[in-house]
Coordinates of all heavy atoms in Angstrom, one line a residue:
C1 N -36.5 -69.4 14.8 CA -35.6 -68.8 13.8 C -34.5 -68.1 14.6 O -33.3 -68.1 14.1 CB -36.4 -67.8 13.0 SG -37.4 -68.6 11.7
M2 N -34.8 -67.4 15.7 CA -33.7 -66.8 16.5 C -32.7 -67.9 17.0 O -31.5 -67.6 17.0 CB -34.3 -66.0 17.7 CG -34.9 -64.7 17.3 SD -35.4 -63.7 18.7 CE -36.9 -64.5 19.2
R3 N -33.2 -69.0 17.4 CA -32.4 -70.1 17.9 C -31.4 -70.6 16.8 O -30.3 -70.9 17.1 CB -33.2 -71.2 18.4 CG -32.4 -72.3 19.1 CD -33.3 -73.5 19.5 NE -33.9 -74.2 18.4 CZ -33.2 -75.1 17.6 NH1 -31.9 -75.3 17.8 NH2 -33.8 -75.7 16.6
Q4 N -31.9 -70.5 15.6 CA -31.1 -71.0 14.5 C -30.1 -69.9 14.0 O -29.3 -70.1 13.1 CB -32.0 -71.4 13.3 CG -32.7 -72.7 13.7 CD -33.7 -73.0 12.6 OE1 -33.7 -72.5 11.5 NE2 -34.6 -74.0 12.9
A5 N -30.2 -68.7 14.5 CA -29.3 -67.6 14.1 C -28.3 -67.3 15.3 O -28.6 -66.5 16.2 CB -30.1 -66.4 13.8
P6 N -27.1 -68.0 15.4 CA -26.3 -67.8 16.5 C -25.8 -66.4 16.7 O -25.4 -66.0 17.8 CB -25.1 -68.8 16.2 CG -25.2 -69.1 14.8 CD -26.6 -68.9 14.4
Q7 N -25.8 -65.6 15.7 CA -25.4 -64.2 15.9 C -26.4 -63.3 16.5 O -26.2 -62.1 16.8 CB -24.9 -63.6 14.5 CG -26.1 -63.4 13.5 CD -26.3 -64.7 12.7 OE1 -26.3 -65.8 13.1 NE2 -26.6 -64.5 11.4
F8 N -27.7 -63.9 16.7 CA -28.7 -63.1 17.4 C -28.8 -63.5 18.8 O -28.9 -64.7 19.1 CB -30.1 -63.3 16.7 CG -31.1 -62.3 17.1 CD1 -31.2 -61.1 16.4 CD2 -31.9 -62.5 18.2 CE1 -32.1 -60.2 16.8 CE2 -32.8 -61.5 18.6 CZ -32.9 -60.4 17.9
H9 N -28.7 -62.6 19.7 CA -28.8 -62.8 21.2 C -30.1 -62.4 21.7 O -30.6 -61.3 21.5 CB -27.6 -62.0 21.9 CG -26.3 -62.3 21.3 ND1 -25.6 -63.4 21.4 CD2 -25.6 -61.5 20.4 CE1 -24.5 -63.3 20.8 NE2 -24.4 -62.2 20.1
H10 N -30.7 -63.3 22.5 CA -32.0 -63.1 23.1 C -32.1 -63.4 24.5 O -31.5 -64.4 25.0 CB -33.1 -63.9 22.3 CG -34.4 -63.7 22.8 ND1 -35.0 -64.4 23.9 CD2 -35.4 -62.8 22.4 CE1 -36.2 -63.9 24.1 NE2 -36.5 -63.0 23.3
W11 N -32.8 -62.6 25.3 CA -33.0 -62.8 26.7 C -34.5 -62.9 27.0 O -35.3 -62.1 26.5 CB -32.4 -61.7 27.5 CG -30.9 -61.7 27.5 CD1 -30.0 -62.4 28.3 CD2 -30.1 -61.0 26.5 NE1 -28.7 -62.1 27.9 CE2 -28.8 -61.2 26.8 CE3 -30.4 -60.1 25.5 CZ2 -27.7 -60.7 26.1 CZ3 -29.4 -59.6 24.7 CH2 -28.0 -59.9 25.0
V12 N -34.9 -64.0 27.6 CA -36.3 -64.2 28.0 C -36.6 -63.3 29.2 O -35.9 -63.4 30.2 CB -36.7 -65.6 28.2 CG1 -38.1 -65.8 28.7 CG2 -36.4 -66.5 27.0
A13 N -37.7 -62.6 29.1 CA -38.2 -61.8 30.3 C -39.4 -62.4 30.9 O -40.0 -63.3 30.3 CB -38.5 -60.3 29.8
R14 N -39.8 -62.0 32.0 CA -40.9 -62.6 32.7 C -42.2 -61.8 32.3 O -43.3 -62.3 32.6 CB -40.8 -62.5 34.2 CG -39.6 -63.4 34.7 CD -40.2 -64.6 35.2 NE -39.2 -65.5 35.7 CZ -39.4 -66.4 36.6 NH1 -40.5 -66.5 37.2 NH2 -38.4 -67.2 37.0
H15 N -42.1 -60.7 31.7 CA -43.2 -59.9 31.4 C -42.8 -58.9 30.2 O -41.7 -58.5 30.1 CB -43.6 -59.0 32.6 CG -44.9 -58.3 32.5 ND1 -45.1 -57.2 31.9 CD2 -46.1 -58.7 33.0 CE1 -46.4 -56.8 32.0 NE2 -47.0 -57.7 32.7
E16 N -43.8 -58.6 29.3 CA -43.5 -57.8 28.2 C -43.0 -56.4 28.6 O -42.2 -55.8 28.0 CB -44.7 -57.7 27.3 CG -44.9 -58.9 26.4 CD -45.8 -59.9 27.1 OE1 -46.1 -59.8 28.3 OE2 -46.2 -60.9 26.4
Q17 N -43.5 -55.9 29.7 CA -43.1 -54.6 30.2 C -41.6 -54.6 30.6 O -40.9 -53.7 30.3 CB -44.0 -54.1 31.4 CG -43.7 -52.7 31.7 CD -44.7 -52.2 32.8 OE1 -44.6 -52.7 33.9 NE2 -45.6 -51.3 32.5
A18 N -41.2 -55.7 31.3 CA -39.8 -55.9 31.6 C -38.9 -56.0 30.4 O -37.8 -55.4 30.4 CB -39.6 -57.1 32.5
A19 N -39.4 -56.7 29.4 CA -38.7 -56.8 28.1 C -38.5 -55.4 27.5 O -37.4 -55.1 27.0 CB -39.4 -57.7 27.2
G20 N -39.5 -54.6 27.5 CA -39.4 -53.2 27.0 C -38.4 -52.4 27.7 O -37.6 -51.7 27.1
F21 N -38.5 -52.4 29.0 CA -37.5 -51.7 29.8 C -36.1 -52.2 29.7 O -35.1 -51.4 29.7 CB -37.9 -51.6 31.3 CG -39.0 -50.7 31.6 CD1 -40.2 -51.1 32.2 CD2 -38.9 -49.3 31.2 CE1 -41.2 -50.2 32.5 CE2 -40.0 -48.4 31.5 CZ -41.1 -48.9 32.1
A22 N -35.9 -53.5 29.5 CA -34.6 -54.1 29.3 C -34.0 -53.6 27.9 O -32.8 -53.2 27.9 CB -34.7 -55.6 29.3
A23 N -34.9 -53.5 26.9 CA -34.4 -53.0 25.6 C -34.0 -51.6 25.7 O -33.0 -51.1 25.1 CB -35.5 -53.3 24.5
D24 N -34.8 -50.8 26.4 CA -34.5 -49.4 26.6 C -33.2 -49.2 27.4 O -32.3 -48.4 26.9 CB -35.7 -48.7 27.4 CG -35.4 -47.2 27.7 OD1 -35.4 -46.5 26.7 OD2 -35.2 -46.9 28.9
G25 N -33.0 -50.0 28.4 CA -31.7 -49.9 29.1 C -30.5 -50.4 28.3 O -29.4 -49.8 28.4
F26 N -30.8 -51.4 27.5 CA -29.7 -51.9 26.6 C -29.3 -50.8 25.6 O -28.1 -50.5 25.4 CB -30.2 -53.1 25.8 CG -29.2 -53.7 24.8 CD1 -28.3 -54.6 25.3 CD2 -29.1 -53.3 23.5 CE1 -27.4 -55.2 24.5 CE2 -28.2 -53.8 22.7 CZ -27.3 -54.8 23.1
Y27 N -30.3 -50.0 25.1 CA -29.9 -48.9 24.2 C -29.2 -47.8 24.9 O -28.2 -47.3 24.4 CB -31.2 -48.3 23.5 CG -30.9 -47.2 22.6 CD1 -30.5 -47.4 21.3 CD2 -31.0 -45.9 23.1 CE1 -30.1 -46.3 20.5 CE2 -30.7 -44.8 22.3 CZ -30.2 -45.0 21.0 OH -29.9 -44.0 20.2
R28 N -29.6 -47.5 26.1 CA -29.0 -46.4 26.8 C -27.5 -46.8 27.2 O -26.6 -45.9 27.2 CB -29.7 -46.1 28.1 CG -31.1 -45.5 27.9 CD -31.8 -45.3 29.2 NE -33.2 -44.9 28.9 CZ -33.9 -44.0 29.6 NH1 -33.3 -43.3 30.6 NH2 -35.1 -43.8 29.4
Q29 N -27.3 -48.0 27.4 CA -25.9 -48.5 27.8 C -25.0 -48.7 26.6 O -23.9 -48.3 26.6 CB -26.0 -49.8 28.6 CG -24.7 -50.4 29.0 CD -23.9 -49.5 30.0 OE1 -24.5 -48.8 30.8 NE2 -22.6 -49.5 29.9
S30 N -25.6 -49.2 25.5 CA -24.7 -49.6 24.4 C -24.9 -48.7 23.1 O -24.0 -48.7 22.3 CB -25.1 -51.0 23.9 OG -26.4 -51.0 23.3
G31 N -26.0 -47.9 23.1 CA -26.2 -47.1 21.9 C -26.8 -48.0 20.7 O -26.9 -47.5 19.6
Q32 N -27.1 -49.2 20.9 CA -27.6 -50.1 19.9 C -29.0 -50.5 20.2 O -29.4 -50.7 21.3 CB -26.8 -51.4 19.9 CG -25.3 -51.2 19.5 CD -24.6 -52.6 19.6 OE1 -24.9 -53.4 20.3 NE2 -23.6 -52.7 18.7
I33 N -29.8 -50.5 19.1 CA -31.2 -50.9 19.2 C -31.4 -52.3 19.5 O -30.7 -53.2 19.0 CB -32.0 -50.6 17.9 CG1 -31.9 -49.1 17.6 CG2 -33.4 -51.0 18.0 CD1 -32.4 -48.7 16.2
A34 N -32.3 -52.6 20.5 CA -32.6 -54.0 20.8 C -34.1 -54.2 20.4 O -34.9 -53.2 20.5 CB -32.4 -54.3 22.2
A35 N -34.5 -55.4 20.0 CA -35.9 -55.7 19.7 C -36.6 -56.2 21.0 O -36.0 -56.7 21.9 CB -36.0 -56.7 18.6
V36 N -37.9 -55.9 21.0 CA -38.8 -56.5 22.0 C -39.8 -57.4 21.3 O -40.4 -56.9 20.3 CB -39.5 -55.4 22.8 CG1 -40.5 -56.0 23.8 CG2 -38.6 -54.4 23.5
F37 N -39.9 -58.6 21.8 CA -40.8 -59.5 21.2 C -42.0 -59.7 22.1 O -41.8 -60.3 23.2 CB -40.1 -60.9 20.8 CG -38.9 -60.7 19.9 CD1 -37.7 -60.6 20.4 CD2 -39.1 -60.5 18.6 CE1 -36.6 -60.5 19.6 CE2 -38.0 -60.3 17.7 CZ -36.8 -60.3 18.2
A38 N -43.2 -59.3 21.7 CA -44.3 -59.3 22.5 C -45.3 -60.3 22.0 O -45.4 -60.5 20.8 CB -45.0 -58.0 22.7
S39 N -46.1 -60.9 22.9 CA -47.2 -61.8 22.5 C -48.4 -61.0 22.1 O -48.5 -59.8 22.2 CB -47.5 -62.7 23.7 OG -48.5 -63.6 23.2
T40 N -49.3 -61.6 21.6 CA -50.6 -61.0 21.0 C -51.4 -60.3 22.1 O -51.4 -60.7 23.2 CB -51.4 -62.2 20.4 OG1 -50.6 -62.9 19.5 CG2 -52.6 -61.7 19.7
G41 N -52.1 -59.3 21.6 CA -53.1 -58.6 22.4 C -52.6 -58.0 23.7 O -51.8 -57.0 23.6
P42 N -52.9 -58.5 24.8 CA -52.4 -57.9 26.1 C -50.9 -57.8 26.1 O -50.4 -56.9 26.7 CB -53.0 -58.8 27.2 CG -54.2 -59.5 26.5 CD -53.8 -59.6 25.1
G43 N -50.3 -58.8 25.6 CA -48.8 -58.8 25.6 C -48.2 -57.6 24.9 O -47.3 -56.9 25.4
N44 N -48.8 -57.3 23.7 CA -48.4 -56.1 23.0 C -48.6 -54.8 23.8 O -47.8 -53.9 23.9 CB -49.1 -56.0 21.6 CG -48.5 -56.9 20.6 OD1 -47.3 -57.2 20.6 ND2 -49.4 -57.5 19.8
L45 N -49.8 -54.8 24.4 CA -50.2 -53.6 25.2 C -49.4 -53.4 26.5 O -49.2 -52.3 26.9 CB -51.7 -53.6 25.5 CG -52.6 -53.6 24.2 CD1 -54.0 -53.5 24.7 CD2 -52.2 -52.5 23.3
F46 N -48.8 -54.5 27.0 CA -47.9 -54.4 28.2 C -46.7 -53.6 27.8 O -45.9 -53.1 28.7 CB -47.5 -55.7 28.7 CG -48.7 -56.5 29.4 CD1 -48.8 -57.8 29.3 CD2 -49.6 -55.8 30.2 CE1 -49.8 -58.5 29.9 CE2 -50.6 -56.5 30.8 CZ -50.7 -57.8 30.7

């Protein structure tokens, strides 16, 4: 669904923790909320 929405920009991270810190940094730089997409179980907990 994200691929089909050209107005949505997504970056693949190597780890859910890195994705979370990237979203935090994105907010600090831009003032805009970014989403973090985590996988099930351990991925969410990362």
Side-chain angles (χ1 to χ4, degrees):
C1 288
M2 283 189 281
R3 188 184 65 76
Q4 294 174 11
Q7 67 274 40
F8 196 88
H9 308 283
H10 181 272
W11 293 272
V12 174
R14 296 261 180 152
H15 192 278
E16 285 88 349
Q17 191 174 66
F21 282 126
D24 180 65
F26 182 87
Y27 179 82
R28 291 177 194 222
Q29 179 64 32
S30 69
Q32 297 177 329
I33 299 172
V36 176
F37 301 100
S39 185
T40 307
N44 284 324
L45 299 184
F46 288 144

